[in-house]
């Protein structure tokens, strides 16, 4: 039986709110509840795929008549955010709204992330004259037009670092001419929604007086209710069933972009056509143009945490109710088996860790927003060298937020897949959404900045910056302590850096490719270890600030279990570099047993903390009676007697 949240003490409820929603103002919770109900009452085009065959190549997800439905749902999200120009001012509320949308409909969440945190963020952060973007800017804020972000080019890997789309300055009137020079430079994005106005932020290489001035963003009107606007060419739909949106390739043929729609970010053009850019170089210009990605990365851990909590609670609920007919113990619930307990309670532990990571990511984002506000009041700084870009620009834009994005979506993809598997055929049913959650996070491992490339760049950076430690690594506490896993990871990072530097000295060439190609696998492991440690540190930090002792008792073994099970997954690397020894690993199953028993004793409270259900969750797996809830979704047709 699940303890209702209302039965918890007020102090515990306040701490749970802080745990689940971070810095989000408690007064906004009613807006989130309203949003959840609105999305449940208006399931949108995605519900179509739950009742019929998967979308085909010839049919867009939001076909004729469905585009307005998507806009209506985007408006519901906007109504849960601050109004007008303040729409993007509260990172915690942005994260909470998109997390709510993800639980209800992952594809809507992605549309919202692109609309709010890439398109609108670019317009507000990069434009030197937002008034010149009207009336499109207001239409996007109010959900009367759909926002699109076009950065990826279909023809080559790492296209962000070598954008082919051109924006040529017209010296006569100061406008720009947008052009796709070849098929490789066709943009890929979710610009195929029918029947609505779409406004895109398009990244293109600015040329003035035949000089490459770097990659800037431009606001471009893509479609109206009738279809593509002059000079804009859209391909047939490109299906992606794991994350269904209206993906197409986009090409531009002499599209005229007014000067006011150039998102100049402090750059200016003289009368003679000379571009003056405070970024100082094309590489720094790209980093500045892409800094809007930080808002997306800051929100993604909250999205990953919300869907993971829902997945883990559903898996636990299923395991408590589902009775097996094994000859070993017929009639015993699945949750009686230790193997099932380890997986579903481990999912709950990882969901808690992701919840803590969401708190950490939003703290980083809030600090960056405050710093930007301070800089806005100061004289413009001189251009200076920042971290160089490697495989992608993402780690150079913000290493901590890129790391949070990469590690949280990868963890959520694994967690939701495990929950799906442990729920049998019910885990694959569309109505239970586990397949949608898993597809969303698995796709996002590549989207929003490829996670593996981010880990490569972080690992390379850590090796380049590494200095010999002034003292021996800290002692490692008992593995039943939540502090054990962070300490292990700190020592393992030290061991990985030392090994990479040793191997680096054996490479004969200093050519970047020849030097790093043989080291990349281990560099990626180092980057992932670094991001994993960030999450582990967030767990102990969040746990340390809790004051309600019932919550502390319930969450402490959960935090420790997260670390112990993670160590099993990292066993190969930990043992290879002797961060841990075979005897250490041999002791972990016994620790797991003790932690599992402690968590089972706290399960009622934990489900009250993480299992708050609302009207946006019609999933039978979340119901008090899973079988009855599944039966209620069915209609029957009986053959008549002949």
């Amino acid at each position: 039986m699940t303890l209702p949240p209302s039965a918890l003490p007020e102090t515990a409820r306040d701490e749970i709110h802080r745990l689940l929603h971070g810095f989000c103002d408690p007064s906004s919770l009613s807006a989130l509840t309203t949003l959840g109900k609105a999305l449940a009452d208006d399931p949108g085009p995605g519900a179509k795929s739950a009742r019929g065959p998967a979308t085909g190549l010839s049919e867009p997800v939001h076909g004729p008549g469905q585009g307005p439905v998507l806009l209506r749902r985007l408006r519901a999200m906007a109504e849960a955010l601050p109004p007008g120009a303040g729409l993007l001012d509260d990172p915690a509320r942005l994260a909470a709204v998109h997390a709510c949308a993800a639980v209800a409909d992952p594809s809507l969440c992605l549309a919202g992330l692109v609309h709010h945190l890439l398109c609108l963020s670019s317009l507000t952060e990069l434009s030197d004259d937002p008034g010149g973007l009207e009336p499109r800017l207001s239409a996007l804020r109010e959900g009367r037009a759909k926002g699109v972000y076009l950065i990826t080019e279909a023809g080559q890997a790492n296209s962000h670092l070598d954008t082919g789309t051109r924006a040529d300055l017209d010296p006569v009137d100061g406008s720009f001419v947008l052009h796709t020079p070849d098929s490789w430079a066709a943009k890929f994005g979710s610009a195929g929604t029918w029947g609505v106005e779409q406004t895109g932020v398009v990244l293109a290489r600015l040329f003035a007086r035949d000089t490459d001035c770097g990659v800037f963003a431009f606001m471009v009107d893509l479609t109206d209710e009738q279809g593509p606007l002059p000079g804009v060419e859209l391909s047939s739909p490109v299906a992606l069933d794991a994350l269904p949106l209206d993906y197409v390739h986009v090409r531009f043929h002499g599209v005229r972009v007014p000067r006011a729609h150039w998102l100049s970010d402090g750059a200016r053009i003289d009368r003679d056509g000379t571009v003056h850019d405070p970024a100082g170089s094309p590489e720094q210009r790209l980093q500045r143009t892409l800094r809007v990605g930080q808002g997306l990365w800051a929100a993604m851990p909250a999205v990953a945490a919300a869907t993971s909590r829902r997945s883990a609670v559903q898996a636990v609920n299923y395991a408590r109710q589902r009775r097996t007919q094994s000859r070993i113990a017929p009639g015993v619930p699945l949750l009686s088996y230790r193997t099932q307990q380890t997986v579903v309670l481990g999912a709950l532990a990882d969901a808690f860790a992701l919840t803590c990571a969401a708190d950490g990511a939003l703290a980083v984002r809030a600090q960056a927003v405050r710093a930007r506000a301070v800089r806005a009041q100061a004289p413009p700084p001189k251009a200076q060298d920042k971290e160089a870009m490697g495989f992608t620009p993402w780690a150079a834009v913000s290493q901590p937020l890129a790391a949070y994005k990469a590690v949280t979506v990868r963890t959520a993809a694994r967690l939701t897949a495990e929950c799906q598997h442990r729920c049998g055929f019910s885990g694959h049913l569309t109505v239970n959404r586990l397949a949608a959650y898993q597809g969303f996070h698995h796709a996002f491992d590549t989207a929003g900045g490829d996670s593996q490339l981010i880990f490569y760049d972080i690992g390379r950076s850590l090796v380049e910056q590494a200095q010999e430690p002034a003292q021996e690594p800290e002692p490692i506490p008992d593995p039943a302590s939540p502090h054990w896993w962070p300490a292990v990871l700190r020592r393992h990072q030290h061991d990985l850096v030392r090994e990479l530097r040793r191997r680096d000295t054996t490479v004969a060439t200093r050519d970047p490719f020849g030097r790093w190609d043989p080291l990349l696998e281990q560099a990626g492991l180092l980057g992932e270890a670094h991001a994993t440690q960030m999450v582990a540190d967030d767990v102990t930090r969040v746990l340390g600030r809790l004051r309600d002792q019932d919550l502390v008792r319930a969450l402490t073994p959960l935090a420790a279990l997260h670390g112990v099970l993670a160590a099993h997954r990292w066993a190969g690397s930990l043992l290879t570099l002797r961060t841990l020894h075979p005897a250490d690993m041999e002791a972990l199953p016994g620790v797991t047993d003790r932690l599992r028993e402690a968590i089972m004793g706290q399960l009622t409270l934990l489900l009250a903390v993480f299992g708050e259900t609302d009207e946006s969750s019609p999933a039978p797996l979340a119901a008090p009676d899973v079988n009855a809830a599944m039966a209620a979704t069915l209609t029957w047709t009986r053959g008549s007697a002949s």
Side-chain angles (χ1 to χ4, degrees):
M1 181 176 180
T2 301
L3 183 71
S6 58
L8 298 172
E10 184 176 354
T11 55
R13 291 200 302 272
D14 290 344
E15 290 206 298
I16 291 171
H17 169 269
R18 176 74 173 85
L19 175 66
L20 300 186
H21 304 293
F23 304 98
C24 195
D25 188 334
S27 64
S28 65
L29 286 183
S30 60
L32 294 178
T33 302
T34 301
L35 173 61
K37 186 176 187 307
L39 297 181
D41 292 343
D42 181 13
K48 179 181 177 182
S49 62
R51 297 189 295 269
T55 301
L57 283 171
S58 61
E59 178 189 3
V61 176
H62 301 98
Q66 293 297 332
V69 178
L70 174 61
L71 282 188
R72 186 167 66 239
R73 288 159 67 76
L74 287 173
R75 278 197 298 275
M77 295 178 68
E79 289 168 1
L81 293 167
L87 187 80
L88 305 176
D89 288 348
D90 187 343
R93 193 160 174 178
L94 277 166
V97 165
H98 288 88
C100 179
V103 168
D105 180 355
S107 64
L108 172 65
C109 173
L110 178 55
L113 289 168
V114 173
H115 179 91
H116 294 116
L117 293 172
L118 293 178
C119 179
L120 267 172
S121 285
S122 294
L123 299 181
T124 55
E125 289 190 34
L126 301 179
S127 173
D128 292 325
D129 179 21
L133 305 178
E134 295 294 355
R136 281 288 189 170
L137 182 57
S138 292
L140 288 165
R141 284 171 173 162
E142 296 164 10
R144 292 183 283 109
K146 177 192 166 203
V148 179
Y149 191 73
L150 296 177
I151 176 174
T152 300
E153 295 181 348
Q156 60 180 338
N158 305 87
S159 63
H160 310 67
L161 298 178
D162 190 26
T163 298
T165 304
R166 292 178 63 110
D168 289 281
L169 174 67
D170 185 337
V172 176
D173 62 5
S175 66
F176 303 90
V177 180
L178 199 63
H179 180 65
T180 303
D182 52 50
S183 60
W184 287 19
K187 297 290 189 182
F188 172 79
S190 55
T193 305
W194 292 27
V196 299
E197 294 182 0
Q198 295 185 101
T199 296
V201 168
V202 180
L203 269 68
R205 191 170 297 279
L206 171 59
F207 283 86
R209 301 174 61 185
D210 296 322
T211 300
D212 180 353
C213 302
V215 175
F216 285 85
F218 298 83
M219 187 181 83
V220 181
D221 296 337
L222 300 174
T223 66
D224 60 15
E225 291 85 347
Q226 282 69 50
L229 294 171
V232 178
E233 184 181 16
L234 304 183
S235 73
S236 57
V238 180
L240 200 168
D241 290 340
L243 195 56
L245 284 181
D246 302 315
Y247 300 108
V248 290
H249 290 184
V250 185
R251 297 193 292 206
F252 301 100
H253 303 280
V255 175
R256 185 72 60 167
V257 180
R259 172 72 72 90
H261 293 183
W262 172 41
L263 307 183
S264 53
D265 186 36
R268 59 184 177 83
I269 300 176
D270 284 347
R271 291 182 179 179
D272 65 357
T274 301
V275 176
H276 300 273
D277 186 358
S281 70
E283 182 158 299
Q284 296 305 318
R285 162 46 49 203
L286 180 60
Q287 290 187 36
R288 285 183 57 145
T289 298
L290 295 179
R291 71 175 185 266
V292 296
Q294 296 177 76
L296 171 67
W297 302 331
M300 279 309 301
V303 170
T307 52
S308 295
R309 290 194 300 266
R310 185 60 57 93
S311 301
V313 168
Q314 288 185 178
V316 171
N317 191 49
Y318 176 87
R320 295 173 87 186
Q321 297 185 42
R322 194 72 166 178
R323 298 192 175 275
T324 71
Q325 297 307 317
S326 163
R327 293 296 185 263
I328 296 176
V332 168
L334 274 174
L335 199 57
S336 298
Y337 286 88
R338 292 185 177 189
T339 53
Q340 191 79 2
Q341 289 178 20
T342 299
V343 173
V344 299
L345 299 183
L348 205 61
D350 288 341
F352 171 55
L354 289 172
T355 301
C356 298
D359 184 271
L362 287 171
V364 171
R365 177 60 175 163
Q367 184 178 14
V369 170
R370 288 193 297 269
R372 189 172 71 239
V374 171
R375 288 196 300 270
Q377 306 300 320
K382 294 182 179 180
Q384 56 183 352
D385 291 335
K386 297 182 181 179
E387 183 174 347
M389 294 183 289
F391 294 98
T392 73
W394 312 124
V397 171
S398 172
Q399 186 183 103
L401 288 177
Y404 271 123
K405 175 269 170 188
V407 73
T408 56
V409 299
R410 185 165 288 188
T411 300
R414 173 186 53 77
L415 182 158
T416 50
E418 289 176 347
C419 290
Q420 185 183 21
H421 176 67
R422 292 292 172 153
C423 290
F425 80 89
S426 296
H428 293 268
L429 298 178
T430 301
V431 70
N432 286 319
R433 297 185 179 144
L434 293 180
Y437 298 158
Q438 198 278 330
F440 175 86
H441 292 296
H442 185 64
F444 240 103
D445 197 54
T446 300
D450 187 283
S451 298
Q452 191 59 44
L453 297 182
I454 287 171
F455 290 146
Y456 287 156
D457 276 335
I458 292 175
R460 288 176 63 248
S461 175
L462 292 173
V463 171
E464 299 283 11
Q465 299 170 4
Q467 298 179 351
E468 290 299 325
Q471 56 188 15
E472 288 296 315
E474 65 187 284
I476 296 179
D478 185 87
S481 165
H483 296 274
W484 175 78
W485 182 230
V488 169
L489 283 170
R490 276 188 285 276
R491 181 172 292 185
H492 194 49
Q493 278 192 84
H494 170 266
D495 295 340
L496 282 165
V497 169
R498 182 183 59 198
E499 174 64 11
L500 274 163
R501 295 183 74 179
R502 182 194 67 77
R503 290 181 60 191
D504 186 29
T505 62
T506 68
V507 178
T509 178
R510 292 292 93 183
D511 169 72
F513 178 78
R515 177 188 176 195
W516 282 104
D517 185 52
L519 305 178
L520 275 184
E521 183 175 355
Q522 202 156 31
L525 200 63
L526 172 59
E528 189 167 5
H530 177 76
T532 303
Q533 187 200 314
M534 291 169 60
V535 176
D537 287 339
D538 286 332
V539 170
T540 56
R541 176 181 54 79
V542 169
L543 196 62
R545 76 172 183 227
L546 295 177
R547 294 294 173 262
D548 185 275
Q549 290 306 303
D550 289 335
L551 279 180
V552 172
R553 277 191 295 272
L555 292 173
T556 296
L558 203 65
L561 184 65
H562 162 72
V564 170
L565 296 182
H568 279 289
R569 291 189 292 273
W570 281 81
S573 179
L574 292 169
L575 290 170
T576 299
L577 295 183
R578 297 180 176 83
T579 305
L580 293 179
H581 299 283
D584 299 317
M585 299 303 298
E586 289 171 4
L588 294 186
V591 177
T592 301
D593 287 343
R594 295 195 298 275
L595 293 173
R596 193 175 54 233
E597 290 173 7
I599 293 168
M600 287 295 292
Q602 299 286 342
L603 197 54
T604 298
L605 177 56
L606 289 170
L607 292 179
V609 172
F610 296 125
E612 293 180 281
T613 58
D614 54 43
E615 296 180 30
S616 71
S617 179
L621 283 178
D625 187 332
V626 171
N627 288 336
M630 188 65 221
T633 68
L634 306 176
T635 59
W636 295 82
T637 302
R638 179 180 296 184
S640 59
S642 57

